[in-house]
Amino acid sequence: MTASIRAVRHLGGALRTTHKSSFFHRLPSFSGSPPPPRGGHGAGFGNRVSPTHCWRRAFLSPATSLSTQGADSVSGSEGGGPFVEYKRRIASGELLDGDEFQAEILRVLQRLYDELVESADECGLVKSENSERTGRNRKSWLWSRLLSQSSESPVKGLYLFGGVGTGKTMLMDLFFEQLPSDWRKKRIHFHDFMLNVHSRLQVRGSYFIEKLYFVSAFYSERYVGKRSERHKGLADPLDVVAEEICDESILICLDEFMVTDVADALILNRLFRHLFDKGIILVATSNRAPDKLYEGGLQRDLFLPFIATLKAKCVVHEIGSLVDYRKMTSAEHGFYYSGFRYSLLLKEKFQQLVGPYTPRPKEIEILMGRKLLVPQGANGCAYFRFEDLCEKPLGAADYFGLCKHFHTLALEGVPKFALHNRTAAYRFVTLIDVMYENKARFLCTAETSPVGLFEYIVTISDAQKVAPRSSSRSRRADVFDLCVDNELGFAKDRTISRLTEMNSKEYLDQHAAALSEKSDQDQTPRQFETTTSSS
C-alpha cells in the first residue's frame, strides 16, 4: 500500500510539472464548504466600493507629471491594468495627477498585473466549470492527501505598507477592479478574513478546534511529539480550511493586515504555509512593516516563521508618502460632537435620520449563531451607549453583523482612552475599522476630539520621549493613565484619520448617494428586519 501511494504521488508531481492547469494542479475543497461569514466585504449594505470612493484620494493628491513620468517603464502599458486605467482617467480629466509615491506603487501593481495575466493558466486563476468542480468535490480530500506535493505559485504576491491615509486601500482596490471577472479572486478586510477562518474551524467541530491548538505548537514542539501518536493519520484542520479557501480564490487581496490577537498569530503561520503551498497569491496592505507585525505579542517566537514566509512569498514595498489625504477632506461636516453635553443633540439627529419610524430594541443574528441586542434601532439606524458596545465582550464578528443590518450607528459617550480602559480602546478601534470598511455613517458624542481621545495611548518609543515626572505632575497621571502599547499606539493614528474622513462632506455625500441608489432599487425605504425583537 505504501508503495502504491508513493507511485500515485510521483504521478501527481509529474502531471503538475507537465500541465499545471490540470486536475492535479488545483484540487477542490470538501463538498458543503461553509459560507463566508456574514457582514463581510460584498454582503449587506455599504460593502460595495464605489468608483467615487476609490478615486477620491487621487483627486486630493499633489500634482505631478504622472502621464509622462516613467510610463514606458511599465510593461504591457497598452493593454490593461491599474496603471493604464489610472493614466486613462488622468488623460480624460477624471483625475488629477497622483503623487510620485502613488505612481511608483501603481507601476509595481501594473507589473504584478502583467505577470498574473501572462501566468493565469499556470496559476489556476481562471474559474473552472461548475459541473466539473461538483463532480470532483467528494473525492477532493482523498486526492489532496495522496497528492500532497506543493503547487506553489510562480508569481510572487505583494505586501504594501505605509502610513495612514496614504492611499494604500485605494490603490489595491484599483488593482483588484481591473482583474478579469472570471478569475478566482477575493478582496476582503483582514478582520473579516480571520472571522471566515474561525467560522470554518467551528463548522469542523470541537475536535478540530482541539486539533488546531495541537498543531499550532502552542506548548512546544516537544509537546507535539508526545501527542503525535494520538492524532496520527488525522487531518490538520488548517490544511482542510486552506483547501477550501484555495478552491474559492487563488488571488486574495487583504486590506489592513494586522495581528493583535494571540490566537490569530498562532493560526497565521500554519494557515499561510498551507495556502502558499497550494498556490495562493497574496496582495496585502498594512500600516506595519512585516518585521513589526505582532511586535511584543505573546508567544511571538512562534509567529516569526510566518514573517519569514511572508517576505519570501511577497514583494515587500513601502509607500513612502507622509501625507494623510483623509485629513485633506472638508472635515467637520459630520456628526462628531466633542463634549458629553451634546447627548440630547445626538438623540435628535438620530431621530431625524430614523424619520417616521419608532426605534425599539432589536436582537440581530451575528456570525456563528451569536446574537446581539441593539438597544434602539429602526430604518437602518442603531443607537448604542459606549459601554454597551465597547465595554462588553464583543469583537469584530459582532461589529460586522451590526453593519450588515444597519448602515448608520449613533454612539453616545466615547471617553478618553488610557491604561484603565485599554480593552475598550481596542474594541473602539476595531469598530471604526469595520464601519469604515462597510462605508457606514457614524454619529457620536465624545469626551474630546479624535486626537484627544488617544492622548494617553503611546508606543514604546513615544513613552521614552515623555518628560520625567515633576512636582507639577501627579503620580497618577504619570503612571496609571499612560498606556504604553505598540499595537494600539500605531492603530490610533489610523482611527483618528478614519474618524476625520468619516465626518467629511465627501464621505457623507457618498454615503447619501449609496442610500439613495439602494432606495431606488428597492422602490421603498428599506426596513432591516430581525429574527426577534423585544419591547
Side-chain angles (χ1 to χ4, degrees):
M1 180 63 181
T2 303
S4 299
I5 292 176
R6 288 201 197 98
V8 175
R9 283 180 174 168
H10 179 74
L11 174 62
L15 286 171
R16 277 199 191 94
T17 303
T18 57
H19 189 49
K20 288 196 175 183
S21 63
S22 68
F23 164 78
F24 296 98
H25 176 61
R26 178 56 50 222
L27 297 170
S29 64
F30 286 162
S31 60
S33 300
R38 298 179 178 182
H41 190 81
F45 175 85
N47 292 294
R48 175 181 58 83
V49 180
S50 70
T52 303
H53 173 71
C54 287
W55 294 103
R56 181 169 63 249
R57 293 192 194 99
F59 272 107
L60 298 168
S61 303
T64 62
S65 301
L66 177 60
S67 56
T68 59
Q69 187 179 41
D72 295 337
S73 65
V74 181
S75 63
S77 60
E78 297 303 320
F83 191 83
V84 177
E85 175 65 12
Y86 195 66
K87 289 196 301 177
R88 185 196 68 77
R89 297 197 181 194
I90 289 174
S92 67
E94 296 176 54
L95 292 176
L96 300 177
D97 286 351
D99 65 29
E100 58 181 295
F101 299 103
Q102 291 185 357
E104 181 183 0
I105 297 301
L106 280 165
R107 295 187 185 97
V108 173
L109 288 168
Q110 180 68 43
R111 284 192 290 269
L112 175 58
Y113 174 91
D114 292 338
E115 287 184 40
L116 291 172
V117 170
E118 184 177 350
S119 306
D121 289 336
E122 189 177 5
C123 294
L125 282 165
V126 182
K127 294 177 182 176
S128 60
E129 293 295 331
N130 290 334
S131 58
E132 178 186 1
R133 294 178 58 193
T134 302
R136 298 179 342 212
N137 278 344
R138 293 182 179 274
K139 299 180 180 179
S140 64
W141 181 84
L142 174 61
W143 283 112
S144 65
R145 302 282 75 76
L146 294 177
L147 307 175
S148 58
Q149 292 184 349
S150 173
S151 57
E152 296 181 8
S153 170
V155 178
K156 277 192 172 185
L158 176 66
Y159 183 93
L160 176 62
F161 73 97
V164 299
T166 53
K168 300 182 296 298
T169 298
M170 182 270 290
L171 295 172
M172 186 181 74
D173 286 341
L174 173 58
F175 165 78
F176 185 82
E177 289 164 2
Q178 299 306 307
L179 298 172
S181 59
D182 63 344
W183 279 13
R184 293 155 62 192
K185 59 177 183 174
K186 187 175 186 66
R187 189 274 192 202
I188 189 170
H189 191 276
F190 181 77
H191 282 316
D192 204 2
F193 176 78
M194 292 309 302
L195 288 173
N196 189 304
V197 172
H198 286 293
S199 178
R200 293 175 189 269
L201 288 170
Q202 188 189 50
V203 169
R204 295 296 160 198
S206 59
Y207 170 77
F208 279 85
I209 299 296
E210 177 192 2
K211 183 72 166 63
L212 166 65
Y213 286 98
F214 156 69
V215 297
S216 295
F218 186 87
Y219 296 103
S220 72
E221 289 297 329
R222 181 178 300 176
Y223 179 77
V224 169
K226 290 179 180 179
R227 297 252 319 208
S228 59
E229 287 301 318
R230 175 183 172 185
H231 296 275
K232 187 175 181 180
L234 299 176
D236 177 353
L238 286 173
D239 191 14
V240 175
V241 170
E243 190 69 41
E244 292 174 351
I245 293 173
C246 289
D247 191 43
E248 298 168 5
S249 308
I250 290 299
L251 175 63
I252 298 180
C253 293
L254 277 182
D255 190 29
E256 296 294 352
F257 201 108
M258 68 189 87
V259 188
T260 59
D261 182 80
V262 62
D264 289 348
L266 295 174
I267 287 173
L268 282 171
N269 178 38
R270 200 166 183 89
L271 174 64
F272 271 92
R273 191 186 72 186
H274 291 309
L275 287 173
F276 286 131
D277 283 347
K278 298 174 190 301
I280 279 287
I281 303 164
L282 175 67
V283 177
T285 68
S286 179
N287 295 134
R288 308 297 299 275
D291 290 328
K292 298 293 185 181
L293 289 172
Y294 198 50
E295 189 174 30
L298 183 65
Q299 299 283 343
R300 189 173 188 260
D301 57 322
L302 300 178
F303 179 75
L304 293 178
F306 168 73
I307 296 177
T309 300
L310 182 67
K311 292 162 71 174
K313 300 299 182 182
C314 296
V315 175
V316 178
H317 206 291
E318 180 179 10
I319 181 168
S321 177
L322 298 177
V323 179
D324 184 349
Y325 291 112
R326 296 189 189 117
K327 294 183 178 179
M328 296 174 65
T329 56
S330 53
E332 299 181 1
H333 285 257
F335 305 98
Y336 186 103
Y337 303 113
S338 295
F340 294 153
R341 64 185 180 278
Y342 292 111
S343 294
L344 183 59
L345 177 60
L346 178 69
K347 293 175 182 177
E348 291 175 355
K349 292 292 184 182
F350 176 75
Q351 189 59 57
Q352 290 175 11
L353 295 174
V354 167
Y357 306 99
T358 302
R360 57 173 52 91
K362 296 177 180 289
E363 193 174 59
I364 61 174
E365 186 177 345
I366 305 298
L367 180 68
M368 297 183 281
R370 297 174 57 190
K371 294 183 178 179
L372 176 67
L373 178 62
V374 179
Q376 296 291 320
N379 196 29
C381 302
Y383 192 101
F384 280 84
R385 289 187 58 82
F386 178 82
E387 52 265 33
D388 293 330
L389 203 54
C390 296
E391 292 184 358
K392 291 184 177 180
L394 304 177
D398 303 282
Y399 303 147
F400 271 113
L402 188 63
C403 288
K404 177 181 180 293
H405 290 83
F406 301 96
H407 56 69
T408 298
L409 170 67
L411 189 63
E412 180 184 343
V414 181
K416 291 186 69 170
F417 299 113
L419 185 61
H420 71 278
N421 60 355
R422 180 175 66 172
T423 302
Y426 266 109
R427 293 195 185 103
F428 181 73
V429 166
T430 301
L431 173 65
I432 297 302
D433 283 344
V434 171
M435 293 196 66
Y436 185 84
E437 173 69 11
N438 285 273
K439 308 298 176 284
R441 180 167 50 192
F442 183 62
L443 300 76
C444 77
T445 57
E447 189 172 351
T448 183
S449 67
V451 174
L453 291 180
F454 294 93
E455 179 183 0
Y456 294 135
I457 306 293
V458 298
T459 62
I460 294 174
S461 61
D462 290 336
Q464 293 171 346
K465 300 174 185 177
V466 175
R469 185 169 61 254
S470 66
S471 58
S472 62
R473 300 174 62 194
S474 72
R475 180 179 180 84
R476 176 177 176 80
D478 228 20
V479 178
F480 295 103
D481 281 353
L482 193 66
C483 175
V484 182
D485 187 312
N486 261 359
E487 290 299 331
L488 195 55
F490 279 100
K492 74 173 186 180
D493 292 333
R494 181 177 71 251
T495 304
I496 293 169
S497 175
R498 287 182 166 178
L499 282 172
T500 302
E501 183 182 353
M502 291 169 75
N503 283 279
S504 68
K505 182 178 184 299
E506 293 86 349
Y507 184 95
L508 293 172
D509 285 349
Q510 178 201 352
H511 179 90
L515 269 182
S516 177
E517 180 181 341
K518 189 72 174 177
S519 178
D520 291 341
Q521 290 175 355
D522 295 342
Q523 294 183 346
T524 57
R526 178 173 180 180
Q527 295 303 298
F528 292 80
E529 296 183 356
T530 59
T531 54
T532 61
S533 64
S534 57
S535 58

